[in-house]
Amino acid sequence: MSQTRIVALVGSLRSASISRQIAEAAASTAPAGAEVSVFEGIGDIPFYNEDIDIAGSVPATAQALRDAVAASDGLLLVTPEYNGTLPAVLKNAIDWLSRPYGSGAIGGKPVAVLSGSISPNAAKWAHADAVKSVGIAGGKIVEEAHLHYAGWGERFSAGHPREDADVQRELTDVVKVLVAAATGELVSA
């Protein structure tokens, strides 16, 4: 039996962001037979432009994203909320993954979305926009594998999310459901 590979895309570029910490904590919860890896370099990918999306000369950073996702069994998106929506860097990654039209790397992949912000809204607008964008791009949203964190600036000010037992339990459940969807064991995804 082969290893189930999940790629995590983080919507914040700050190296110590809570979004990144949540992705790292999720990676640490991968069950036996599965691996969650955080994709590096999402901020280096140029904005999607069909003029530069030419077979054989796609920018290396965009091709690396496509290759990583194509080789994966599923995606985990972690998004903060910027001005009421998902960050441009995450939307840009989804745009690159949706092409070429009809056969993009995201097509048919199970996708879980985790969101959080300092506000009581818990980045639910960013979450909804990520879900909409992924669905249109061809990804399969795994509804059972979503989390929203409100007030995470205060909640995680004293330590990394992996030190929070409740967060670890929640992330473990999300990753297990996503892996089940990726392996065909979750019938509703």
Side-chain angles (χ1 to χ4, degrees), residues 61-92:
T61 52
Q63 191 60 54
L65 173 67
R66 284 178 171 170
D67 292 345
V69 172
S72 77
D73 300 297
L75 285 172
L76 175 67
L77 304 183
V78 183
T79 185
E81 189 164 88
Y82 293 171
N83 299 311
T85 191
L86 71 158
V89 70
L90 191 53
K91 174 62 169 71
N92 186 50

PDB file of all heavy atoms in Angstrom, residues 61-92:
ATOM      1  N   THR A  61       8.315  28.066 -10.543  1.00  0.00           N
ATOM      2  CA  THR A  61       7.610  28.019  -9.254  1.00  0.00           C
ATOM      3  C   THR A  61       6.168  27.539  -9.426  1.00  0.00           C
ATOM      4  O   THR A  61       5.660  26.783  -8.602  1.00  0.00           O
ATOM      5  CB  THR A  61       7.630  29.398  -8.582  1.00  0.00           C
ATOM      6  OG1 THR A  61       7.150  30.382  -9.526  1.00  0.00           O
ATOM      7  CG2 THR A  61       9.039  29.778  -8.132  1.00  0.00           C
ATOM      8  N   ALA A  62       5.527  27.968 -10.501  1.00  0.00           N
ATOM      9  CA  ALA A  62       4.153  27.523 -10.780  1.00  0.00           C
ATOM     10  C   ALA A  62       4.152  26.044 -11.160  1.00  0.00           C
ATOM     11  O   ALA A  62       3.265  25.290 -10.735  1.00  0.00           O
ATOM     12  CB  ALA A  62       3.539  28.368 -11.890  1.00  0.00           C
ATOM     13  N   GLN A  63       5.150  25.621 -11.919  1.00  0.00           N
ATOM     14  CA  GLN A  63       5.230  24.216 -12.303  1.00  0.00           C
ATOM     15  C   GLN A  63       5.488  23.336 -11.085  1.00  0.00           C
ATOM     16  O   GLN A  63       4.941  22.237 -10.972  1.00  0.00           O
ATOM     17  CB  GLN A  63       6.311  23.995 -13.362  1.00  0.00           C
ATOM     18  CG  GLN A  63       6.261  22.614 -13.985  1.00  0.00           C
ATOM     19  CD  GLN A  63       4.934  22.334 -14.686  1.00  0.00           C
ATOM     20  OE1 GLN A  63       4.492  23.093 -15.538  1.00  0.00           O
ATOM     21  NE2 GLN A  63       4.282  21.232 -14.314  1.00  0.00           N
ATOM     22  N   ALA A  64       6.315  23.835 -10.155  1.00  0.00           N
ATOM     23  CA  ALA A  64       6.584  23.070  -8.927  1.00  0.00           C
ATOM     24  C   ALA A  64       5.300  22.867  -8.129  1.00  0.00           C
ATOM     25  O   ALA A  64       5.059  21.778  -7.596  1.00  0.00           O
ATOM     26  CB  ALA A  64       7.639  23.779  -8.079  1.00  0.00           C
ATOM     27  N   LEU A  65       4.460  23.899  -8.058  1.00  0.00           N
ATOM     28  CA  LEU A  65       3.167  23.778  -7.376  1.00  0.00           C
ATOM     29  C   LEU A  65       2.298  22.746  -8.081  1.00  0.00           C
ATOM     30  O   LEU A  65       1.742  21.848  -7.446  1.00  0.00           O
ATOM     31  CB  LEU A  65       2.451  25.131  -7.328  1.00  0.00           C
ATOM     32  CG  LEU A  65       1.017  25.096  -6.794  1.00  0.00           C
ATOM     33  CD1 LEU A  65       0.996  24.729  -5.316  1.00  0.00           C
ATOM     34  CD2 LEU A  65       0.327  26.433  -7.036  1.00  0.00           C
ATOM     35  N   ARG A  66       2.184  22.869  -9.378  1.00  0.00           N
ATOM     36  CA  ARG A  66       1.362  21.922 -10.141  1.00  0.00           C
ATOM     37  C   ARG A  66       1.860  20.491  -9.959  1.00  0.00           C
ATOM     38  O   ARG A  66       1.062  19.570  -9.783  1.00  0.00           O
ATOM     39  CB  ARG A  66       1.369  22.289 -11.620  1.00  0.00           C
ATOM     40  CG  ARG A  66       0.495  23.477 -11.959  1.00  0.00           C
ATOM     41  CD  ARG A  66       0.585  23.808 -13.423  1.00  0.00           C
ATOM     42  NE  ARG A  66      -0.400  24.815 -13.807  1.00  0.00           N
ATOM     43  CZ  ARG A  66      -0.411  25.419 -14.984  1.00  0.00           C
ATOM     44  NH1 ARG A  66       0.488  25.113 -15.906  1.00  0.00           N
ATOM     45  NH2 ARG A  66      -1.327  26.330 -15.251  1.00  0.00           N
ATOM     46  N   ASP A  67       3.163  20.315 -10.019  1.00  0.00           N
ATOM     47  CA  ASP A  67       3.729  18.967  -9.875  1.00  0.00           C
ATOM     48  C   ASP A  67       3.462  18.390  -8.491  1.00  0.00           C
ATOM     49  O   ASP A  67       3.104  17.214  -8.361  1.00  0.00           O
ATOM     50  CB  ASP A  67       5.243  18.983 -10.150  1.00  0.00           C
ATOM     51  CG  ASP A  67       5.579  19.275 -11.602  1.00  0.00           C
ATOM     52  OD1 ASP A  67       4.685  19.197 -12.479  1.00  0.00           O
ATOM     53  OD2 ASP A  67       6.761  19.607 -11.870  1.00  0.00           O
ATOM     54  N   ALA A  68       3.635  19.236  -7.457  1.00  0.00           N
ATOM     55  CA  ALA A  68       3.408  18.764  -6.083  1.00  0.00           C
ATOM     56  C   ALA A  68       1.960  18.349  -5.886  1.00  0.00           C
ATOM     57  O   ALA A  68       1.673  17.300  -5.292  1.00  0.00           O
ATOM     58  CB  ALA A  68       3.798  19.850  -5.079  1.00  0.00           C
ATOM     59  N   VAL A  69       1.038  19.145  -6.392  1.00  0.00           N
ATOM     60  CA  VAL A  69      -0.387  18.836  -6.221  1.00  0.00           C
ATOM     61  C   VAL A  69      -0.787  17.651  -7.097  1.00  0.00           C
ATOM     62  O   VAL A  69      -1.530  16.773  -6.655  1.00  0.00           O
ATOM     63  CB  VAL A  69      -1.256  20.077  -6.485  1.00  0.00           C
ATOM     64  CG1 VAL A  69      -2.737  19.731  -6.515  1.00  0.00           C
ATOM     65  CG2 VAL A  69      -0.976  21.133  -5.409  1.00  0.00           C
ATOM     66  N   ALA A  70      -0.262  17.584  -8.309  1.00  0.00           N
ATOM     67  CA  ALA A  70      -0.576  16.452  -9.187  1.00  0.00           C
ATOM     68  C   ALA A  70      -0.116  15.135  -8.566  1.00  0.00           C
ATOM     69  O   ALA A  70      -0.782  14.108  -8.704  1.00  0.00           O
ATOM     70  CB  ALA A  70       0.067  16.648 -10.554  1.00  0.00           C
ATOM     71  N   ALA A  71       1.011  15.166  -7.847  1.00  0.00           N
ATOM     72  CA  ALA A  71       1.549  13.954  -7.219  1.00  0.00           C
ATOM     73  C   ALA A  71       0.889  13.649  -5.877  1.00  0.00           C
ATOM     74  O   ALA A  71       1.143  12.606  -5.285  1.00  0.00           O
ATOM     75  CB  ALA A  71       3.057  14.099  -7.024  1.00  0.00           C
ATOM     76  N   SER A  72       0.030  14.553  -5.402  1.00  0.00           N
ATOM     77  CA  SER A  72      -0.619  14.362  -4.104  1.00  0.00           C
ATOM     78  C   SER A  72      -1.946  13.648  -4.258  1.00  0.00           C
ATOM     79  O   SER A  72      -2.470  13.496  -5.359  1.00  0.00           O
ATOM     80  CB  SER A  72      -0.844  15.714  -3.416  1.00  0.00           C
ATOM     81  OG  SER A  72      -1.951  16.386  -3.995  1.00  0.00           O
ATOM     82  N   ASP A  73      -2.483  13.256  -3.121  1.00  0.00           N
ATOM     83  CA  ASP A  73      -3.802  12.616  -3.080  1.00  0.00           C
ATOM     84  C   ASP A  73      -4.876  13.566  -2.580  1.00  0.00           C
ATOM     85  O   ASP A  73      -6.061  13.237  -2.629  1.00  0.00           O
ATOM     86  CB  ASP A  73      -3.736  11.381  -2.175  1.00  0.00           C
ATOM     87  CG  ASP A  73      -2.720  10.380  -2.683  1.00  0.00           C
ATOM     88  OD1 ASP A  73      -2.904   9.868  -3.799  1.00  0.00           O
ATOM     89  OD2 ASP A  73      -1.720  10.133  -1.972  1.00  0.00           O
ATOM     90  N   GLY A  74      -4.467  14.732  -2.066  1.00  0.00           N
ATOM     91  CA  GLY A  74      -5.423  15.698  -1.554  1.00  0.00           C
ATOM     92  C   GLY A  74      -4.736  16.979  -1.138  1.00  0.00           C
ATOM     93  O   GLY A  74      -3.504  17.046  -1.061  1.00  0.00           O
ATOM     94  N   LEU A  75      -5.550  17.996  -0.846  1.00  0.00           N
ATOM     95  CA  LEU A  75      -5.053  19.307  -0.449  1.00  0.00           C
ATOM     96  C   LEU A  75      -5.674  19.757   0.866  1.00  0.00           C
ATOM     97  O   LEU A  75      -6.852  19.508   1.122  1.00  0.00           O
ATOM     98  CB  LEU A  75      -5.424  20.366  -1.490  1.00  0.00           C
ATOM     99  CG  LEU A  75      -4.657  20.384  -2.785  1.00  0.00           C
ATOM    100  CD1 LEU A  75      -5.294  21.369  -3.751  1.00  0.00           C
ATOM    101  CD2 LEU A  75      -3.226  20.769  -2.535  1.00  0.00           C
ATOM    102  N   LEU A  76      -4.859  20.447   1.645  1.00  0.00           N
ATOM    103  CA  LEU A  76      -5.306  21.088   2.873  1.00  0.00           C
ATOM    104  C   LEU A  76      -4.984  22.568   2.725  1.00  0.00           C
ATOM    105  O   LEU A  76      -3.819  22.933   2.593  1.00  0.00           O
ATOM    106  CB  LEU A  76      -4.565  20.503   4.077  1.00  0.00           C
ATOM    107  CG  LEU A  76      -4.841  21.146   5.430  1.00  0.00           C
ATOM    108  CD1 LEU A  76      -6.277  20.875   5.856  1.00  0.00           C
ATOM    109  CD2 LEU A  76      -3.870  20.615   6.465  1.00  0.00           C
ATOM    110  N   LEU A  77      -6.011  23.409   2.683  1.00  0.00           N
ATOM    111  CA  LEU A  77      -5.799  24.848   2.575  1.00  0.00           C
ATOM    112  C   LEU A  77      -5.994  25.475   3.938  1.00  0.00           C
ATOM    113  O   LEU A  77      -6.975  25.191   4.624  1.00  0.00           O
ATOM    114  CB  LEU A  77      -6.789  25.478   1.596  1.00  0.00           C
ATOM    115  CG  LEU A  77      -6.843  24.918   0.179  1.00  0.00           C
ATOM    116  CD1 LEU A  77      -7.822  25.722  -0.670  1.00  0.00           C
ATOM    117  CD2 LEU A  77      -5.481  24.899  -0.461  1.00  0.00           C
ATOM    118  N   VAL A  78      -5.052  26.332   4.327  1.00  0.00           N
ATOM    119  CA  VAL A  78      -5.159  27.063   5.588  1.00  0.00           C
ATOM    120  C   VAL A  78      -5.171  28.540   5.237  1.00  0.00           C
ATOM    121  O   VAL A  78      -4.189  29.067   4.708  1.00  0.00           O
ATOM    122  CB  VAL A  78      -3.991  26.736   6.545  1.00  0.00           C
ATOM    123  CG1 VAL A  78      -4.192  27.467   7.870  1.00  0.00           C
ATOM    124  CG2 VAL A  78      -3.862  25.232   6.756  1.00  0.00           C
ATOM    125  N   THR A  79      -6.289  29.194   5.525  1.00  0.00           N
ATOM    126  CA  THR A  79      -6.423  30.584   5.113  1.00  0.00           C
ATOM    127  C   THR A  79      -6.778  31.516   6.259  1.00  0.00           C
ATOM    128  O   THR A  79      -7.698  31.258   7.029  1.00  0.00           O
ATOM    129  CB  THR A  79      -7.471  30.732   3.982  1.00  0.00           C
ATOM    130  OG1 THR A  79      -7.474  32.088   3.533  1.00  0.00           O
ATOM    131  CG2 THR A  79      -8.861  30.318   4.407  1.00  0.00           C
ATOM    132  N   PRO A  80      -6.031  32.623   6.353  1.00  0.00           N
ATOM    133  CA  PRO A  80      -6.495  33.715   7.190  1.00  0.00           C
ATOM    134  C   PRO A  80      -7.496  34.531   6.356  1.00  0.00           C
ATOM    135  O   PRO A  80      -7.799  34.151   5.217  1.00  0.00           O
ATOM    136  CB  PRO A  80      -5.210  34.525   7.436  1.00  0.00           C
ATOM    137  CG  PRO A  80      -4.400  34.311   6.196  1.00  0.00           C
ATOM    138  CD  PRO A  80      -4.723  32.907   5.742  1.00  0.00           C
ATOM    139  N   GLU A  81      -7.992  35.604   6.929  1.00  0.00           N
ATOM    140  CA  GLU A  81      -8.917  36.459   6.188  1.00  0.00           C
ATOM    141  C   GLU A  81      -8.300  37.841   6.060  1.00  0.00           C
ATOM    142  O   GLU A  81      -7.948  38.466   7.060  1.00  0.00           O
ATOM    143  CB  GLU A  81     -10.256  36.547   6.921  1.00  0.00           C
ATOM    144  CG  GLU A  81     -11.324  37.229   6.115  1.00  0.00           C
ATOM    145  CD  GLU A  81     -12.693  36.957   6.698  1.00  0.00           C
ATOM    146  OE1 GLU A  81     -13.108  37.729   7.586  1.00  0.00           O
ATOM    147  OE2 GLU A  81     -13.326  35.971   6.281  1.00  0.00           O
ATOM    148  N   TYR A  82      -8.140  38.287   4.834  1.00  0.00           N
ATOM    149  CA  TYR A  82      -7.599  39.615   4.548  1.00  0.00           C
ATOM    150  C   TYR A  82      -8.706  40.453   3.919  1.00  0.00           C
ATOM    151  O   TYR A  82      -9.182  40.124   2.824  1.00  0.00           O
ATOM    152  CB  TYR A  82      -6.427  39.537   3.582  1.00  0.00           C
ATOM    153  CG  TYR A  82      -5.177  38.856   4.097  1.00  0.00           C
ATOM    154  CD1 TYR A  82      -4.130  38.572   3.242  1.00  0.00           C
ATOM    155  CD2 TYR A  82      -5.026  38.497   5.433  1.00  0.00           C
ATOM    156  CE1 TYR A  82      -2.977  37.964   3.694  1.00  0.00           C
ATOM    157  CE2 TYR A  82      -3.883  37.884   5.889  1.00  0.00           C
ATOM    158  CZ  TYR A  82      -2.859  37.619   5.015  1.00  0.00           C
ATOM    159  OH  TYR A  82      -1.720  37.004   5.463  1.00  0.00           O
ATOM    160  N   ASN A  83      -9.132  41.495   4.621  1.00  0.00           N
ATOM    161  CA  ASN A  83     -10.149  42.405   4.105  1.00  0.00           C
ATOM    162  C   ASN A  83     -11.399  41.669   3.621  1.00  0.00           C
ATOM    163  O   ASN A  83     -11.955  41.964   2.574  1.00  0.00           O
ATOM    164  CB  ASN A  83      -9.570  43.289   2.996  1.00  0.00           C
ATOM    165  CG  ASN A  83      -8.436  44.142   3.513  1.00  0.00           C
ATOM    166  OD1 ASN A  83      -8.555  44.791   4.551  1.00  0.00           O
ATOM    167  ND2 ASN A  83      -7.312  44.109   2.823  1.00  0.00           N
ATOM    168  N   GLY A  84     -11.814  40.687   4.388  1.00  0.00           N
ATOM    169  CA  GLY A  84     -13.063  39.999   4.115  1.00  0.00           C
ATOM    170  C   GLY A  84     -12.998  38.890   3.082  1.00  0.00           C
ATOM    171  O   GLY A  84     -14.044  38.395   2.667  1.00  0.00           O
ATOM    172  N   THR A  85     -11.813  38.463   2.691  1.00  0.00           N
ATOM    173  CA  THR A  85     -11.711  37.384   1.709  1.00  0.00           C
ATOM    174  C   THR A  85     -10.404  36.623   1.884  1.00  0.00           C
ATOM    175  O   THR A  85      -9.622  36.918   2.791  1.00  0.00           O
ATOM    176  CB  THR A  85     -11.855  37.932   0.272  1.00  0.00           C
ATOM    177  OG1 THR A  85     -12.018  36.833  -0.640  1.00  0.00           O
ATOM    178  CG2 THR A  85     -10.673  38.787  -0.132  1.00  0.00           C
ATOM    179  N   LEU A  86     -10.167  35.646   1.012  1.00  0.00           N
ATOM    180  CA  LEU A  86      -8.926  34.890   1.108  1.00  0.00           C
ATOM    181  C   LEU A  86      -7.769  35.703   0.547  1.00  0.00           C
ATOM    182  O   LEU A  86      -7.965  36.582  -0.295  1.00  0.00           O
ATOM    183  CB  LEU A  86      -9.041  33.540   0.404  1.00  0.00           C
ATOM    184  CG  LEU A  86      -9.110  33.488  -1.119  1.00  0.00           C
ATOM    185  CD1 LEU A  86      -8.667  32.093  -1.572  1.00  0.00           C
ATOM    186  CD2 LEU A  86     -10.511  33.726  -1.593  1.00  0.00           C
ATOM    187  N   PRO A  87      -6.557  35.434   1.010  1.00  0.00           N
ATOM    188  CA  PRO A  87      -5.387  36.158   0.527  1.00  0.00           C
ATOM    189  C   PRO A  87      -5.140  35.897  -0.963  1.00  0.00           C
ATOM    190  O   PRO A  87      -5.390  34.788  -1.467  1.00  0.00           O
ATOM    191  CB  PRO A  87      -4.236  35.589   1.354  1.00  0.00           C
ATOM    192  CG  PRO A  87      -4.880  34.958   2.533  1.00  0.00           C
ATOM    193  CD  PRO A  87      -6.229  34.500   2.081  1.00  0.00           C
ATOM    194  N   ALA A  88      -4.636  36.909  -1.646  1.00  0.00           N
ATOM    195  CA  ALA A  88      -4.365  36.811  -3.081  1.00  0.00           C
ATOM    196  C   ALA A  88      -3.417  35.661  -3.396  1.00  0.00           C
ATOM    197  O   ALA A  88      -3.569  34.991  -4.425  1.00  0.00           O
ATOM    198  CB  ALA A  88      -3.790  38.126  -3.598  1.00  0.00           C
ATOM    199  N   VAL A  89      -2.461  35.397  -2.529  1.00  0.00           N
ATOM    200  CA  VAL A  89      -1.483  34.343  -2.798  1.00  0.00           C
ATOM    201  C   VAL A  89      -2.156  32.965  -2.859  1.00  0.00           C
ATOM    202  O   VAL A  89      -1.783  32.126  -3.690  1.00  0.00           O
ATOM    203  CB  VAL A  89      -0.332  34.385  -1.765  1.00  0.00           C
ATOM    204  CG1 VAL A  89      -0.790  33.945  -0.385  1.00  0.00           C
ATOM    205  CG2 VAL A  89       0.850  33.561  -2.224  1.00  0.00           C
ATOM    206  N   LEU A  90      -3.151  32.737  -2.044  1.00  0.00           N
ATOM    207  CA  LEU A  90      -3.861  31.464  -2.056  1.00  0.00           C
ATOM    208  C   LEU A  90      -4.776  31.372  -3.278  1.00  0.00           C
ATOM    209  O   LEU A  90      -4.837  30.341  -3.950  1.00  0.00           O
ATOM    210  CB  LEU A  90      -4.651  31.276  -0.763  1.00  0.00           C
ATOM    211  CG  LEU A  90      -5.230  29.910  -0.503  1.00  0.00           C
ATOM    212  CD1 LEU A  90      -4.179  28.812  -0.592  1.00  0.00           C
ATOM    213  CD2 LEU A  90      -5.888  29.880   0.869  1.00  0.00           C
ATOM    214  N   LYS A  91      -5.465  32.439  -3.590  1.00  0.00           N
ATOM    215  CA  LYS A  91      -6.313  32.473  -4.789  1.00  0.00           C
ATOM    216  C   LYS A  91      -5.456  32.266  -6.033  1.00  0.00           C
ATOM    217  O   LYS A  91      -5.841  31.529  -6.955  1.00  0.00           O
ATOM    218  CB  LYS A  91      -7.062  33.804  -4.864  1.00  0.00           C
ATOM    219  CG  LYS A  91      -7.874  34.010  -6.140  1.00  0.00           C
ATOM    220  CD  LYS A  91      -8.978  32.987  -6.311  1.00  0.00           C
ATOM    221  CE  LYS A  91      -9.945  33.335  -7.412  1.00  0.00           C
ATOM    222  NZ  LYS A  91      -9.429  33.212  -8.759  1.00  0.00           N
ATOM    223  N   ASN A  92      -4.272  32.875  -6.088  1.00  0.00           N
ATOM    224  CA  ASN A  92      -3.370  32.714  -7.219  1.00  0.00           C
ATOM    225  C   ASN A  92      -2.948  31.249  -7.379  1.00  0.00           C
ATOM    226  O   ASN A  92      -2.912  30.721  -8.490  1.00  0.00           O
ATOM    227  CB  ASN A  92      -2.138  33.614  -7.039  1.00  0.00           C
ATOM    228  CG  ASN A  92      -1.240  33.598  -8.242  1.00  0.00           C
ATOM    229  OD1 ASN A  92      -1.683  33.788  -9.374  1.00  0.00           O
ATOM    230  ND2 ASN A  92       0.027  33.349  -8.010  1.00  0.00           N
TER     231      ASN A  92
END
